PDB file of all heavy atoms in Angstrom:
ATOM      1  N   ALA A  96    -105.831  -5.945   5.257  1.00 50.00           N
ATOM      2  CA  ALA A  96    -105.376  -7.321   5.064  1.00 50.00           C
ATOM      3  C   ALA A  96    -106.416  -8.203   4.376  1.00 50.00           C
ATOM      4  O   ALA A  96    -107.617  -8.018   4.619  1.00 50.00           O
ATOM      5  CB  ALA A  96    -105.040  -7.979   6.443  1.00 50.00           C
ATOM      6  N   ALA A  97    -105.970  -9.054   3.494  1.00 44.00           N
ATOM      7  CA  ALA A  97    -106.882  -9.921   2.831  1.00 44.00           C
ATOM      8  C   ALA A  97    -107.391 -11.026   3.729  1.00 44.00           C
ATOM      9  O   ALA A  97    -106.912 -11.210   4.851  1.00 44.00           O
ATOM     10  CB  ALA A  97    -106.229 -10.545   1.568  1.00 44.00           C
ATOM     11  N   THR A  98    -108.279 -11.896   3.199  1.00 43.00           N
ATOM     12  CA  THR A  98    -108.914 -12.886   4.031  1.00 43.00           C
ATOM     13  C   THR A  98    -108.019 -14.029   4.388  1.00 43.00           C
ATOM     14  O   THR A  98    -108.324 -14.888   5.219  1.00 43.00           O
ATOM     15  CB  THR A  98    -110.162 -13.466   3.387  1.00 43.00           C
ATOM     16  OG1 THR A  98    -109.826 -13.841   2.032  1.00 43.00           O
ATOM     17  CG2 THR A  98    -111.229 -12.417   3.354  1.00 43.00           C
ATOM     18  N   GLY A  99    -106.865 -14.148   3.762  1.00 42.00           N
ATOM     19  CA  GLY A  99    -105.924 -15.249   4.113  1.00 42.00           C
ATOM     20  C   GLY A  99    -105.612 -16.171   2.979  1.00 42.00           C
ATOM     21  O   GLY A  99    -106.349 -16.226   1.997  1.00 42.00           O
ATOM     22  N   PRO A 100    -104.482 -16.844   3.035  1.00 41.00           N
ATOM     23  CA  PRO A 100    -104.068 -17.665   1.901  1.00 41.00           C
ATOM     24  C   PRO A 100    -105.011 -18.851   1.672  1.00 41.00           C
ATOM     25  O   PRO A 100    -105.593 -19.390   2.560  1.00 41.00           O
ATOM     26  CB  PRO A 100    -102.683 -18.238   2.353  1.00 41.00           C
ATOM     27  CG  PRO A 100    -102.699 -18.086   3.829  1.00 41.00           C
ATOM     28  CD  PRO A 100    -103.652 -16.965   4.173  1.00 41.00           C
ATOM     29  N   GLY A 101    -105.143 -19.190   0.410  1.00 43.00           N
ATOM     30  CA  GLY A 101    -105.943 -20.330   0.025  1.00 43.00           C
ATOM     31  C   GLY A 101    -107.415 -20.093  -0.018  1.00 43.00           C
ATOM     32  O   GLY A 101    -108.178 -20.873  -0.473  1.00 43.00           O
ATOM     33  N   SER A 102    -107.836 -18.893   0.361  1.00 41.00           N
ATOM     34  CA  SER A 102    -109.278 -18.648   0.406  1.00 41.00           C
ATOM     35  C   SER A 102    -109.840 -18.343  -0.959  1.00 41.00           C
ATOM     36  O   SER A 102    -111.056 -18.471  -1.158  1.00 41.00           O
ATOM     37  CB  SER A 102    -109.573 -17.434   1.376  1.00 41.00           C
ATOM     38  OG  SER A 102    -108.941 -16.255   0.820  1.00 41.00           O
ATOM     39  N   GLU A 103    -108.963 -17.964  -1.922  1.00 41.00           N
ATOM     40  CA  GLU A 103    -109.569 -17.479  -3.186  1.00 41.00           C
ATOM     41  C   GLU A 103    -110.100 -18.629  -4.053  1.00 41.00           C
ATOM     42  O   GLU A 103    -110.975 -18.395  -4.879  1.00 41.00           O
ATOM     43  CB  GLU A 103    -108.580 -16.681  -3.963  1.00 41.00           C
ATOM     44  CG  GLU A 103    -107.333 -17.401  -4.391  1.00 41.00           C
ATOM     45  CD  GLU A 103    -106.453 -16.438  -5.145  1.00 41.00           C
ATOM     46  OE1 GLU A 103    -105.816 -15.550  -4.546  1.00 41.00           O
ATOM     47  OE2 GLU A 103    -106.299 -16.663  -6.375  1.00 41.00           O
ATOM     48  N   ASP A 104    -109.691 -19.895  -3.883  1.00 50.00           N
ATOM     49  CA  ASP A 104    -110.341 -20.934  -4.671  1.00 50.00           C
ATOM     50  C   ASP A 104    -111.256 -21.823  -3.834  1.00 50.00           C
ATOM     51  O   ASP A 104    -111.673 -22.846  -4.268  1.00 50.00           O
ATOM     52  CB  ASP A 104    -109.308 -21.761  -5.415  1.00 50.00           C
ATOM     53  CG  ASP A 104    -108.324 -22.474  -4.503  1.00 50.00           C
ATOM     54  OD1 ASP A 104    -107.987 -21.930  -3.465  1.00 50.00           O
ATOM     55  OD2 ASP A 104    -107.879 -23.620  -4.889  1.00 50.00           O
ATOM     56  N   ASP A 105    -111.623 -21.398  -2.620  1.00 63.00           N
ATOM     57  CA  ASP A 105    -112.581 -22.103  -1.809  1.00 63.00           C
ATOM     58  C   ASP A 105    -113.995 -21.745  -2.337  1.00 63.00           C
ATOM     59  O   ASP A 105    -114.422 -20.630  -2.241  1.00 63.00           O
ATOM     60  CB  ASP A 105    -112.501 -21.732  -0.333  1.00 63.00           C
ATOM     61  CG  ASP A 105    -111.198 -22.190   0.296  1.00 63.00           C
ATOM     62  OD1 ASP A 105    -110.554 -23.087  -0.279  1.00 63.00           O
ATOM     63  OD2 ASP A 105    -110.757 -21.569   1.295  1.00 63.00           O
ATOM     64  N   VAL A 106    -114.655 -22.787  -2.859  1.00 67.00           N
ATOM     65  CA  VAL A 106    -116.019 -22.591  -3.371  1.00 67.00           C
ATOM     66  C   VAL A 106    -116.924 -23.461  -2.495  1.00 67.00           C
ATOM     67  O   VAL A 106    -116.611 -24.645  -2.257  1.00 67.00           O
ATOM     68  CB  VAL A 106    -116.108 -23.004  -4.870  1.00 67.00           C
ATOM     69  CG1 VAL A 106    -117.518 -22.845  -5.362  1.00 67.00           C
ATOM     70  CG2 VAL A 106    -115.142 -22.199  -5.727  1.00 67.00           C
ATOM     71  N   PRO A 107    -118.024 -22.914  -2.022  1.00 71.00           N
ATOM     72  CA  PRO A 107    -118.901 -23.725  -1.128  1.00 71.00           C
ATOM     73  C   PRO A 107    -119.355 -24.992  -1.773  1.00 71.00           C
ATOM     74  O   PRO A 107    -119.550 -25.037  -2.979  1.00 71.00           O
ATOM     75  CB  PRO A 107    -120.118 -22.743  -0.938  1.00 71.00           C
ATOM     76  CG  PRO A 107    -119.557 -21.371  -1.171  1.00 71.00           C
ATOM     77  CD  PRO A 107    -118.496 -21.548  -2.198  1.00 71.00           C
TER      78      PRO A 107
END
Side-chain angles (χ1 to χ4, degrees):
T98 51
S102 62
E103 62 181 71
D104 62 326
D105 293 339
V106 178

